[in-house]
Short mmCIF file of all heavy atoms in Angstrom, two decimals:
data_model
loop_
_atom_site.label_atom_id
_atom_site.label_comp_id
_atom_site.label_asym_id
_atom_site.label_seq_id
_atom_site.Cartn_x
_atom_site.Cartn_y
_atom_site.Cartn_z
N SER Y 1 160.85 202.40 22.14
CA SER Y 1 160.74 200.90 22.25
C SER Y 1 159.61 200.51 21.19
O SER Y 1 158.93 201.37 20.70
CB SER Y 1 160.32 200.38 23.63
OG SER Y 1 159.01 200.96 23.94
N VAL Y 2 159.53 199.20 20.88
CA VAL Y 2 158.62 198.70 19.89
C VAL Y 2 157.25 198.97 20.44
O VAL Y 2 156.27 199.42 19.79
CB VAL Y 2 158.97 197.22 19.54
CG1 VAL Y 2 157.78 196.72 18.78
CG2 VAL Y 2 160.13 197.01 18.97
N ALA Y 3 156.99 198.81 21.83
CA ALA Y 3 155.73 199.03 22.40
C ALA Y 3 155.27 200.51 22.27
O ALA Y 3 154.13 200.80 22.03
CB ALA Y 3 155.66 198.57 23.89
N GLN Y 4 156.15 201.41 22.42
CA GLN Y 4 155.90 202.84 22.45
C GLN Y 4 155.56 203.21 21.00
O GLN Y 4 154.62 204.05 20.80
CB GLN Y 4 157.15 203.61 22.88
CG GLN Y 4 157.28 203.65 24.35
CD GLN Y 4 158.55 204.33 24.78
OE1 GLN Y 4 159.53 204.36 24.15
NE2 GLN Y 4 158.57 205.15 25.89
N VAL Y 5 156.24 202.58 20.09
CA VAL Y 5 155.91 202.97 18.62
C VAL Y 5 154.59 202.36 18.30
O VAL Y 5 153.91 203.13 17.60
CB VAL Y 5 156.99 202.29 17.67
CG1 VAL Y 5 156.60 202.36 16.18
CG2 VAL Y 5 158.37 202.97 17.88
N GLY Y 6 154.17 201.10 18.73
CA GLY Y 6 152.95 200.71 18.36
C GLY Y 6 151.88 201.49 18.96
O GLY Y 6 150.87 201.69 18.38
N LEU Y 7 152.05 201.82 20.20
CA LEU Y 7 151.08 202.72 20.97
C LEU Y 7 150.81 204.13 20.17
O LEU Y 7 149.70 204.52 20.04
CB LEU Y 7 151.37 202.76 22.46
CG LEU Y 7 150.44 203.64 23.30
CD1 LEU Y 7 149.01 203.13 23.28
CD2 LEU Y 7 150.94 203.81 24.72
N GLY Y 8 152.02 204.72 20.02
CA GLY Y 8 151.93 205.95 19.36
C GLY Y 8 151.33 206.03 18.01
O GLY Y 8 150.50 206.87 17.60
N LEU Y 9 151.57 204.93 17.26
CA LEU Y 9 150.99 204.82 15.82
C LEU Y 9 149.60 204.58 16.05
O LEU Y 9 148.62 205.03 15.17
CB LEU Y 9 151.65 203.87 15.03
CG LEU Y 9 153.14 204.12 14.65
CD1 LEU Y 9 153.81 202.93 13.92
CD2 LEU Y 9 153.28 205.25 13.88
N GLY Y 10 149.11 203.70 16.93
CA GLY Y 10 147.73 203.51 17.08
C GLY Y 10 146.91 204.79 17.63
O GLY Y 10 145.85 204.96 16.99
N ILE Y 11 147.46 205.56 18.48
CA ILE Y 11 146.74 206.78 18.97
C ILE Y 11 146.81 207.72 17.68
O ILE Y 11 145.68 208.35 17.40
CB ILE Y 11 147.60 207.50 19.98
CG1 ILE Y 11 147.52 206.49 21.32
CG2 ILE Y 11 147.04 208.90 20.31
CD1 ILE Y 11 148.32 207.07 22.29
N GLY Y 12 147.78 207.99 16.90
CA GLY Y 12 147.82 208.80 15.73
C GLY Y 12 146.85 208.19 14.66
O GLY Y 12 146.20 209.27 14.13
N GLY Y 13 146.70 207.10 14.54
CA GLY Y 13 145.71 206.59 13.45
C GLY Y 13 144.38 206.86 13.89
O GLY Y 13 143.46 207.27 13.13
N LEU Y 14 144.00 206.66 15.12
CA LEU Y 14 142.60 207.04 15.66
C LEU Y 14 142.42 208.50 15.45
O LEU Y 14 141.34 209.01 15.08
CB LEU Y 14 142.51 206.52 17.09
CG LEU Y 14 142.35 205.10 17.29
CD1 LEU Y 14 142.31 204.66 18.71
CD2 LEU Y 14 141.18 204.47 16.61
N VAL Y 15 143.30 209.36 15.93
CA VAL Y 15 143.08 210.82 15.73
C VAL Y 15 143.05 211.23 14.41
O VAL Y 15 142.21 212.04 14.07
CB VAL Y 15 144.27 211.50 16.55
CG1 VAL Y 15 144.26 213.03 16.35
CG2 VAL Y 15 144.24 211.28 18.03
N GLY Y 16 143.77 210.64 13.51
CA GLY Y 16 143.85 211.06 12.13
C GLY Y 16 142.44 210.84 11.46
O GLY Y 16 142.11 211.61 10.46
N LEU Y 17 141.62 209.95 12.03
CA LEU Y 17 140.26 209.77 11.32
C LEU Y 17 139.40 210.99 11.52
O LEU Y 17 138.40 211.06 10.92
CB LEU Y 17 139.55 208.52 11.99
CG LEU Y 17 140.28 207.14 11.91
CD1 LEU Y 17 139.65 206.09 12.62
CD2 LEU Y 17 140.38 206.75 10.43
N LEU Y 18 139.78 211.92 12.38
CA LEU Y 18 138.82 212.93 12.77
C LEU Y 18 138.71 213.98 11.58
O LEU Y 18 137.75 214.81 11.56
CB LEU Y 18 139.20 213.53 14.08
CG LEU Y 18 139.16 212.74 15.32
CD1 LEU Y 18 139.73 213.52 16.48
CD2 LEU Y 18 137.81 212.24 15.52
N SER Y 19 139.75 214.11 10.77
CA SER Y 19 139.90 215.19 9.84
C SER Y 19 139.32 214.97 8.60
O SER Y 19 138.95 215.93 7.78
CB SER Y 19 141.42 215.66 9.70
OG SER Y 19 142.02 214.53 9.14
N GLY Y 20 139.07 213.72 8.14
CA GLY Y 20 138.73 213.47 6.75
C GLY Y 20 137.38 214.04 6.41
O GLY Y 20 137.29 214.65 5.30
N ILE Y 21 136.39 213.83 7.12
CA ILE Y 21 134.99 214.26 6.76
C ILE Y 21 134.96 215.75 6.75
O ILE Y 21 134.33 216.33 5.76
CB ILE Y 21 133.93 213.66 7.78
CG1 ILE Y 21 133.98 212.16 7.59
CG2 ILE Y 21 132.48 214.20 7.45
CD1 ILE Y 21 133.15 211.52 8.51
N PRO Y 22 135.35 216.61 7.80
CA PRO Y 22 135.22 218.04 7.72
C PRO Y 22 136.04 218.73 6.46
O PRO Y 22 135.59 219.60 5.86
CB PRO Y 22 135.63 218.58 9.12
CG PRO Y 22 136.42 217.30 9.66
CD PRO Y 22 135.71 216.15 9.17
N VAL Y 23 137.23 218.16 6.38
CA VAL Y 23 138.10 218.63 5.37
C VAL Y 23 137.58 218.36 4.03
O VAL Y 23 137.74 219.15 3.01
CB VAL Y 23 139.62 218.15 5.47
CG1 VAL Y 23 140.35 218.58 4.34
CG2 VAL Y 23 140.21 218.68 6.81
N GLY Y 24 136.97 217.03 3.82
CA GLY Y 24 136.27 216.72 2.59
C GLY Y 24 135.20 217.68 2.32
O GLY Y 24 135.05 218.13 1.16
N ARG Y 25 134.33 218.09 3.29
CA ARG Y 25 133.41 219.06 2.99
C ARG Y 25 133.86 220.38 2.68
O ARG Y 25 133.42 221.12 1.88
CB ARG Y 25 132.50 219.06 4.33
CG ARG Y 25 131.17 220.11 4.03
CD ARG Y 25 130.36 220.11 5.31
NE ARG Y 25 129.14 220.89 5.02
CZ ARG Y 25 128.99 222.23 4.98
NH1 ARG Y 25 130.08 222.85 5.28
NH2 ARG Y 25 127.99 222.83 4.68
N LEU Y 26 135.00 220.85 3.23
CA LEU Y 26 135.66 222.12 3.01
C LEU Y 26 136.10 221.99 1.49
O LEU Y 26 135.92 222.99 0.76
CB LEU Y 26 136.82 222.27 3.85
CG LEU Y 26 137.67 223.58 3.68
CD1 LEU Y 26 136.71 224.83 4.10
CD2 LEU Y 26 138.83 223.61 4.59
N ALA Y 27 136.61 220.86 1.03
CA ALA Y 27 137.07 220.78 -0.33
C ALA Y 27 135.87 220.99 -1.24
O ALA Y 27 135.88 221.50 -2.43
CB ALA Y 27 137.72 219.38 -0.60
N ASP Y 28 134.71 220.45 -0.93
CA ASP Y 28 133.48 220.52 -1.68
C ASP Y 28 133.11 221.96 -1.86
O ASP Y 28 132.61 222.45 -2.89
CB ASP Y 28 132.35 219.73 -1.08
CG ASP Y 28 132.59 218.20 -1.32
OD1 ASP Y 28 133.24 217.78 -2.14
OD2 ASP Y 28 132.14 217.54 -0.33
N ARG Y 29 133.29 222.70 -0.81
CA ARG Y 29 132.75 224.09 -0.78
C ARG Y 29 133.90 225.22 -1.36
O ARG Y 29 133.50 226.30 -1.60
CB ARG Y 29 132.23 224.48 0.66
CG ARG Y 29 131.18 223.47 0.98
CD ARG Y 29 129.76 223.89 0.52
NE ARG Y 29 129.64 224.06 -0.87
CZ ARG Y 29 129.32 223.02 -1.70
NH1 ARG Y 29 129.26 221.75 -1.23
NH2 ARG Y 29 129.28 223.26 -3.04
N ARG Y 30 135.08 224.82 -1.12
CA ARG Y 30 136.11 225.88 -1.46
C ARG Y 30 136.96 225.46 -2.63
O ARG Y 30 137.80 226.27 -3.10
CB ARG Y 30 137.11 226.00 -0.26
CG ARG Y 30 136.37 226.46 1.01
CD ARG Y 30 135.81 227.76 0.91
NE ARG Y 30 135.11 228.32 2.03
CZ ARG Y 30 134.32 229.29 2.19
NH1 ARG Y 30 133.93 230.07 1.02
NH2 ARG Y 30 133.73 229.70 3.19
N GLY Y 31 136.80 224.22 -3.14
CA GLY Y 31 137.61 223.84 -4.27
C GLY Y 31 138.59 222.76 -3.86
O GLY Y 31 139.48 223.03 -2.98
N PRO Y 32 138.58 221.53 -4.51
CA PRO Y 32 139.44 220.51 -3.96
C PRO Y 32 140.88 220.77 -4.31
O PRO Y 32 141.81 220.40 -3.48
CB PRO Y 32 138.93 219.24 -4.82
CG PRO Y 32 138.20 219.81 -6.01
CD PRO Y 32 137.67 221.25 -5.59
N ARG Y 33 141.22 221.48 -5.31
CA ARG Y 33 142.64 221.63 -5.70
C ARG Y 33 143.35 222.55 -4.61
O ARG Y 33 144.37 222.17 -4.06
CB ARG Y 33 142.93 222.39 -7.06
CG ARG Y 33 144.36 222.51 -7.37
CD ARG Y 33 144.53 223.46 -8.53
NE ARG Y 33 144.22 224.89 -8.08
CZ ARG Y 33 144.46 226.02 -8.81
NH1 ARG Y 33 144.92 225.79 -10.07
NH2 ARG Y 33 144.22 227.17 -8.36
N GLU Y 34 142.75 223.66 -4.27
CA GLU Y 34 143.32 224.57 -3.35
C GLU Y 34 143.32 223.89 -1.85
O GLU Y 34 144.44 223.93 -1.16
CB GLU Y 34 142.33 225.80 -3.10
CG GLU Y 34 142.32 226.65 -4.36
CD GLU Y 34 141.60 226.07 -5.56
OE1 GLU Y 34 140.75 225.19 -5.35
OE2 GLU Y 34 141.70 226.66 -6.57
N VAL Y 35 142.28 223.03 -1.49
CA VAL Y 35 142.39 222.41 -0.08
C VAL Y 35 143.45 221.23 -0.18
O VAL Y 35 144.20 221.12 0.88
CB VAL Y 35 141.04 221.95 0.30
CG1 VAL Y 35 141.08 221.12 1.64
CG2 VAL Y 35 140.12 223.02 0.33
N TYR Y 36 143.46 220.62 -1.24
CA TYR Y 36 144.50 219.44 -1.27
C TYR Y 36 145.88 219.99 -1.20
O TYR Y 36 146.71 219.54 -0.59
CB TYR Y 36 144.23 218.72 -2.60
CG TYR Y 36 145.10 217.53 -2.86
CD1 TYR Y 36 145.44 216.62 -1.83
CD2 TYR Y 36 145.58 217.23 -4.06
CE1 TYR Y 36 146.27 215.46 -1.96
CE2 TYR Y 36 146.54 216.10 -4.29
CZ TYR Y 36 146.84 215.30 -3.34
OH TYR Y 36 147.73 214.38 -3.52
N ARG Y 37 146.13 221.03 -1.88
CA ARG Y 37 147.37 221.70 -1.93
C ARG Y 37 147.84 222.11 -0.40
O ARG Y 37 148.98 221.95 -0.08
CB ARG Y 37 147.55 222.81 -2.93
CG ARG Y 37 148.85 223.47 -3.07
CD ARG Y 37 148.81 224.64 -4.08
NE ARG Y 37 147.67 225.51 -3.93
CZ ARG Y 37 147.24 226.22 -4.74
NH1 ARG Y 37 147.80 226.36 -5.97
NH2 ARG Y 37 146.33 227.16 -4.56
N LEU Y 38 146.84 222.77 0.19
CA LEU Y 38 147.17 223.13 1.53
C LEU Y 38 147.40 222.02 2.56
O LEU Y 38 148.39 221.96 3.30
CB LEU Y 38 145.95 223.86 2.02
CG LEU Y 38 145.94 224.35 3.45
CD1 LEU Y 38 147.16 225.22 3.88
CD2 LEU Y 38 144.71 224.95 3.97
N THR Y 39 146.70 220.76 2.29
CA THR Y 39 146.93 219.60 3.14
C THR Y 39 148.34 219.15 2.93
O THR Y 39 149.01 218.61 3.78
CB THR Y 39 145.88 218.55 3.08
OG1 THR Y 39 146.06 218.13 1.60
CG2 THR Y 39 144.45 218.97 3.23
N LEU Y 40 148.83 219.16 1.75
CA LEU Y 40 150.20 218.69 1.40
C LEU Y 40 151.30 219.49 2.03
O LEU Y 40 152.21 218.97 2.52
CB LEU Y 40 150.31 218.67 -0.20
CG LEU Y 40 149.61 217.67 -0.98
CD1 LEU Y 40 149.61 218.02 -2.42
CD2 LEU Y 40 150.11 216.27 -0.69
N ILE Y 41 151.06 220.86 2.09
CA ILE Y 41 152.02 221.62 2.76
C ILE Y 41 151.99 221.32 4.19
O ILE Y 41 153.03 221.35 4.93
CB ILE Y 41 151.68 223.14 2.55
CG1 ILE Y 41 151.80 223.52 1.00
CG2 ILE Y 41 152.56 224.06 3.39
CD1 ILE Y 41 153.17 223.30 0.51
N VAL Y 42 150.77 221.08 4.82
CA VAL Y 42 150.83 220.73 6.21
C VAL Y 42 151.43 219.36 6.47
O VAL Y 42 152.21 219.34 7.47
CB VAL Y 42 149.32 220.69 6.77
CG1 VAL Y 42 149.35 220.19 8.19
CG2 VAL Y 42 148.68 221.91 6.49
N GLN Y 43 151.30 218.43 5.50
CA GLN Y 43 151.99 217.13 5.67
C GLN Y 43 153.51 217.33 5.60
O GLN Y 43 154.20 216.68 6.38
CB GLN Y 43 151.45 216.23 4.58
CG GLN Y 43 150.21 215.46 4.78
CD GLN Y 43 149.97 214.39 3.54
OE1 GLN Y 43 149.56 214.88 2.54
NE2 GLN Y 43 150.08 213.21 3.97
#
């Protein structure tokens, strides 16, 4: 339903905020190309 889609996307959006900072720091320390490529495969 439209309500389920809105709720699910809202939950996903909030959860997605948790990964940016730690993965960004990992890219600083391990190399951005390698980490970026890995995130694309996960996507």
Side-chain angles (χ1 to χ4, degrees):
S1 68
V2 174
Q4 286 176 321
V5 171
L7 178 60
L9 293 178
I11 294 173
L14 289 173
V15 171
L17 297 176
L18 302 175
S19 67
I21 299 173
V23 173
R25 185 176 184 278
L26 183 65
D28 292 327
R29 304 277 52 87
R30 302 298 182 191
R33 186 197 67 174
E34 291 75 14
V35 176
Y36 182 42
R37 183 173 54 194
L38 178 60
T39 62
L40 289 167
I41 297 300
V42 175
Q43 279 186 286

